[in-house]
């Protein structure tokens, strides 16, 4: 009986090692790649809607993003948000003043 349980435990351990997930997916992607490619533009474009930009800049630089990329995306975000806001204001004023 003891041999059966030992064999079953051994087979279960082998099965678990074979079923262990490989290093694919999000676990395999290092943060050093994810931060400048995905998080930096997204945070700079959507972050001002939630918190002030100086907080997001400090957070991104503290997490390891390069200052140049953070500043570049800050400029892009400021320009895009300014254009969007200006278009919304002109649209509202033209509708109201008619």
């Amino acid at each position: 009986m003891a041999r059966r349980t030992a064999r079953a435990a051994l087979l279960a351990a082998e099965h678990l090692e074979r079923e262990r997930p490989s290093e694919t997916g999000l676990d395999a992607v290092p943060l050093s790649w994810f931060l400048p490619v995905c998080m930096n533009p997204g945070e700079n474009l959507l972050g001002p809607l939630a918190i002030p930009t100086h907080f997001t800049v400090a957070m991104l630089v503290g997490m390891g993003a390069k200052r140049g990329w953070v500043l570049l995306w800050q400029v892009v975000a400021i320009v895009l948000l300014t254009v969007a806001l200006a278009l919304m204001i002109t649209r509202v004023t033209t509708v109201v003043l008619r």
Side-chain angles (χ1 to χ4, degrees), residues 31-65:
L31 184 63
S32 61
W33 175 85
F34 182 75
L35 185 65
V37 172
C38 300
M39 191 171 176
N40 193 359
E43 181 65 32
N44 282 317
L45 292 172
L46 299 175
L49 301 175
I51 57 176
T53 56
H54 57 281
F55 290 138
T56 59
V57 169
M59 181 185 65
L60 288 170
V61 171
M63 289 175 59

Side-chain angles (χ1 to χ4, degrees), residues 13-33:
E14 287 176 3
H15 177 71
L16 286 176
E17 283 196 23
R18 280 183 298 199
E19 295 298 320
R20 184 172 291 156
S22 63
E23 287 292 326
T24 59
L26 289 178
D27 293 337
V29 177
L31 184 63
S32 61
W33 175 85

Side-chain angles (χ1 to χ4, degrees), residues 40 44 57 60-61 65-75:
N40 193 359
N44 282 317
V57 169
L60 288 170
V61 171
K66 295 184 179 180
R67 290 181 186 176
W69 283 110
V70 173
L71 292 176
L72 173 73
W73 281 106
Q74 283 289 313
V75 169

